[in-house]
Amino acid sequence: MDYRQYIAKKLNVEGVAAEDIVLPPNSDMGDYALPCFKLAKIFKKSPAIIAEELKNSFKTDNIISKVSAVNGYLNFSLNKTNLSYGVLNEILNLGKNYGSSDEGKGKTVCIDYSSVNIAKPFHIGHLSTTVLGGALYKLYKFLGYNVVGINHLGDYGTQFGKLICAYKHWGNKEEIEKGGIHAINELYVRFNTQADEEMEREAREYFRLIENGDKEANETFEWFKSLTLKYVQGIYEKLGIKFDSYAGERFYTDKMQPVIDELKEKHLLKESEGAQVVDLEPYGMPPCLILRSDGASLYATRDLAAATYRKNHYNFYKNLYVVAYQQNLHFKQVFKVLELMGKEWAKDCVHVAFGMVSLEDGAMSTRKGKVVWLEDVINKCVEKAYEVICDKNPDLDNKGSIAEKVGIGAVIFGALYNNKIKDIVFSYDKVLSFEGETSVYVQYTAARANSVLSKSGLNITVPQNYEPNEQEAEVIKELAVFPEVLKEAADKYEPCYVSRFAVSLAQKFNKFYIECKILTAEGAAKDFRLALTYATLQTIKNALAILGIEVPEKM
């Protein structure tokens, strides 16, 4: 049940919606609260008087057991006995679907993420876009949306002319096949450090040949592309990432002209120093460059064509771009141009910006070859996870498989625990800690719960009319808000709400585990605590699955 919605509907007050109901800072105040401050203007009364009047008119029931008014807040306490019975039964009945909904039925969300560049390996800077987009993909699916994952390939530009030129001068087919994308990248780095003016001219010519459909140039490019996709697919499989479309920049080559024509027809294009631009100065932005003076297209041209295609092809409800915050201006310009073109759906295009990820030794550059590859980060995390597991539980079976789940989970969780806009300095020791706010801590909690259940040998049932103690009630309250957490995460494009929920649930369960007997309890208390343990394990699995993290049975 969505308790916020229930309270808002029962209040039936003008100007109060479910999102206005918040969690109080102190659980002693209640389970939910309505700040009455914004109602002061509507009712021309002080927040304290409004809260008191609403308290007096609100009738408690079998869901809301108590209402209080404190300093302008209207606080609601749930009936813990009924809440416990309802929540535990819901989780037992729904299992892996607990928290899901059909709110997205009939709506399509396009998510543009990861967007690998052809012939360039993934470095750690690609981590956020990949796992953030992947988590949003799974989240919207879980909430009933039709989701289209789009890998907008970076497969257009003069760099491919440079690569072909470098290959012609220094490349060897067998060595490239054997070395794969890293061998291609070495050619790219070599070109940028050793190419002379003649080679630069050759590179421009090779790119022109690609654009003009030259057979040999395009076959070489497609070869580079196939090696790239083979490489990235291995990383995507490890991270649990999936795409429905690999339509990249080249895909929109023949779709740009209709957009350019429309801009002309609507008198939005202006000439500026030989280039064609859309003037955005009245909106506080520099001009949006559509065509260069030589007639070449730009990122904005292709993104306008891509957005138009996605609307026509998918009829999206939301069109998300999971791209670093450095592109804030670019997307503001593109969305404003769409709006000026009269596309009412421009408001449904959203830039999901995120901060940068680096290791302690700082930033990277593919041109200079100073880069930390994402595959190396993943492999090192798995190796370190194996060492930690061997140290903590040397007799554990399948340590290698468990280390994979723990190490890969740590990489993903490390990028998804904080608000997406924050820059992240990745620390192996921190993400692999069994204590603190890590996926390892959450996975270990799940393994602990699984161990209890495996020893119980009982069918899980929920006793009626059981009044939970303080520790049990805290876990129940956390379990109850999971559906609301997912909705808020989707509304705000913030998977960190899910990761933080998982940590909070693990913390409350561990406190319950330490302070309450489970297997040695008797009667209704034992039944209730086993049901609570099962519900916690299932909900942790559901939360981590949305993030793309597996849960080992033992650790």
Side-chain angles (χ1 to χ4, degrees):
M1 176 187 284
D2 187 333
Y3 293 98
R4 285 186 171 100
Q5 202 168 56
Y6 178 82
I7 292 168
K9 189 174 180 181
K10 191 172 172 68
L11 274 170
N12 193 26
V13 174
E14 182 187 351
V16 174
E19 53 267 28
D20 297 314
I21 311 297
V22 300
L23 297 175
N26 186 340
S27 60
D28 291 340
M29 297 168 67
D31 300 306
Y32 292 95
L34 171 67
C36 296
F37 305 97
K38 80 168 193 174
L39 298 176
K41 287 184 179 179
I42 299 173
F43 295 109
K44 311 294 184 191
K45 296 176 183 177
S46 74
I49 291 173
I50 294 169
E52 191 65 33
E53 289 178 351
L54 290 176
K55 181 199 82 170
N56 294 334
S57 63
F58 192 95
K59 297 204 181 321
T60 56
D61 54 23
N62 63 344
I63 294 175
I64 309 296
S65 62
K66 180 184 173 186
V67 183
S68 63
V70 181
N71 297 328
Y73 285 84
L74 185 64
N75 300 319
F76 305 89
S77 297
L78 301 175
N79 182 314
K80 301 297 188 293
T81 300
N82 291 340
L83 175 67
S84 300
Y85 187 75
V87 169
L88 293 181
N89 269 307
E90 187 177 0
I91 299 172
L92 260 63
N93 290 331
L94 292 176
K96 65 181 181 180
N97 293 318
Y98 176 60
S100 65
S101 76
D102 61 358
E103 74 165 58
K105 188 176 181 180
K107 298 174 182 174
T108 296
V109 175
C110 292
I111 309 179
D112 177 333
Y113 65 107
S114 196
S115 299
V116 60
N117 289 314
I118 297 304
K120 289 185 182 178
F122 267 11
H123 59 65
I124 194 175
H126 293 110
L127 175 62
S128 286
T129 176
T130 303
V131 299
L132 178 57
L136 290 173
Y137 184 98
K138 297 177 184 71
L139 175 60
Y140 283 110
K141 280 265 190 191
F142 202 59
L143 297 179
Y145 291 87
N146 174 44
V147 187
V148 182
I150 300 169
N151 198 322
H152 187 73
L153 297 176
D155 57 2
Y156 189 92
T158 55
Q159 69 266 34
F160 301 113
K162 293 178 181 181
L163 272 169
I164 293 175
C165 179
Y167 174 65
K168 294 288 185 183
H169 279 268
W170 305 308
N172 176 286
K173 189 175 178 66
E174 285 185 11
E175 288 179 5
I176 297 294
E177 286 284 356
K178 185 179 177 181
I181 196 166
H182 291 291
I184 302 172
N185 185 67
E186 285 172 11
L187 288 177
Y188 181 67
V189 172
R190 187 173 179 182
F191 184 95
N192 280 289
T193 54
Q194 298 182 23
D196 55 21
E197 285 186 20
E198 178 58 25
M199 287 183 71
E200 290 282 0
R201 187 198 63 74
E202 283 181 38
R204 288 192 293 273
E205 176 60 17
Y206 278 122
F207 179 56
R208 189 189 68 78
L209 289 172
I210 293 173
E211 285 193 299
N212 291 343
D214 179 78
K215 186 173 183 290
E216 183 185 355
N218 275 281
E219 282 178 353
T220 305
F221 170 78
E222 289 298 328
W223 176 47
F224 290 156
K225 181 176 177 179
S226 67
L227 290 173
T228 304
L229 292 180
K230 181 181 177 182
Y231 158 80
V232 297
Q233 196 54 47
I235 293 176
Y236 288 147
E237 284 175 8
K238 284 185 177 182
L239 296 174
I241 300 297
K242 124 169 239 236
F243 296 96
D244 304 290
S245 166
Y246 282 87
E249 292 183 78
R250 290 186 84 197
F251 178 77
Y252 299 103
T253 302
D254 62 350
K255 297 168 181 62
M256 290 185 286
Q257 193 57 49
V259 173
I260 295 166
D261 291 343
E262 186 176 346
L263 287 168
K264 287 178 181 175
E265 287 166 15
K266 293 181 175 175
H267 306 292
L268 291 170
L269 274 189
K270 294 183 178 180
E271 187 174 321
S272 174
E273 298 179 8
Q276 296 293 310
V277 306
V278 176
D279 182 15
L280 297 179
E281 269 191 48
Y283 310 99
M285 288 180 271
C288 183
L289 195 55
I290 303 298
L291 294 172
R292 287 195 315 218
S293 56
D294 61 1
S297 62
L298 293 107
Y299 285 121
T301 329
R302 296 188 282 280
D303 277 340
L304 289 168
T308 304
Y309 173 83
R310 290 172 194 173
K311 184 61 183 178
N312 292 339
H313 192 69
Y314 300 114
N315 191 27
F316 57 72
Y317 166 73
K318 290 286 182 186
N319 181 30
L320 311 184
Y321 297 83
V322 185
V323 182
Y325 65 73
Q326 283 90 340
Q327 298 300 318
N328 281 354
L329 175 60
H330 168 77
F331 284 108
K332 282 181 182 176
Q333 289 177 310
V334 169
F335 300 162
K336 176 54 73 173
V337 172
L338 288 170
E339 183 187 321
L340 293 173
M341 291 172 73
K343 311 295 186 188
E344 55 84 24
W345 46 264
K347 68 183 187 315
D348 303 320
C349 295
V350 180
H351 176 205
V352 181
F354 57 85
M356 303 307 290
V357 180
S358 63
L359 294 177
E360 286 92 341
D361 56 0
M364 298 145 290
S365 166
T366 48
R367 289 188 175 207
K368 295 178 182 176
K370 295 178 180 177
V371 54
V372 179
W373 305 125
L374 181 53
E375 64 193 294
D376 292 340
V377 173
I378 293 171
N379 291 337
K380 187 171 180 179
C381 246
V382 171
E383 289 169 14
K384 283 184 167 288
Y386 185 82
E387 292 170 8
V388 171
I389 290 167
C390 287
D391 182 55
K392 285 191 171 288
N393 194 350
D395 298 326
L396 185 66
D397 293 332
N398 302 315
K399 288 191 284 289
S401 172
I402 292 168
E404 281 272 327
K405 293 175 182 177
V406 171
I408 292 169
V411 173
I412 295 170
F413 203 85
L416 294 181
Y417 186 73
N418 291 310
N419 290 77
K420 60 183 181 289
I421 203 63
K422 284 190 174 181
D423 288 340
I424 300 166
V425 177
F426 192 89
S427 162
Y428 292 105
D429 292 336
K430 185 176 178 181
V431 300
L432 286 168
S433 172
F434 270 70
E435 298 176 359
E437 298 161 340
T438 66
S439 58
V440 185
Y441 173 75
V442 178
Q443 287 171 316
Y444 185 71
T445 303
R448 171 179 273 177
N450 191 64
S451 175
V452 170
L453 294 169
S454 65
K455 291 173 184 174
S456 71
L458 296 174
N459 290 326
I460 305 298
T461 57
V462 185
Q464 265 187 305
N465 302 319
Y466 180 85
E467 187 173 343
N469 64 27
E470 183 182 343
Q471 289 76 33
E472 294 163 341
E474 285 299 308
V475 180
I476 288 291
K477 281 162 59 179
E478 198 69 31
L479 292 169
V481 301
F482 183 53
E484 299 170 34
V485 168
L486 297 186
K487 188 177 186 314
E488 189 170 12
D491 288 345
K492 296 182 178 177
Y493 319 110
E494 279 285 14
C496 74
Y497 291 170
V498 183
S499 45
R500 288 179 180 176
F501 165 85
V503 168
S504 180
L505 175 58
Q507 289 170 337
K508 288 178 180 176
F509 175 80
N510 283 323
K511 187 174 182 185
F512 151 75
Y513 176 87
I514 291 166
E515 298 188 17
C516 300
K517 295 176 180 178
I518 302 176
L519 292 173
T520 58
E522 296 180 353
K526 183 173 184 177
D527 290 342
F528 181 88
R529 290 171 186 175
L530 284 172
L532 188 62
T533 302
Y534 170 86
T536 299
L537 173 60
Q538 185 63 64
T539 306
I540 284 175
K541 283 182 176 179
N542 293 2
L544 291 187
I546 286 168
L547 302 177
I549 298 171
E550 294 184 71
V551 177
E553 289 188 3
K554 296 180 180 179
M555 278 180 70

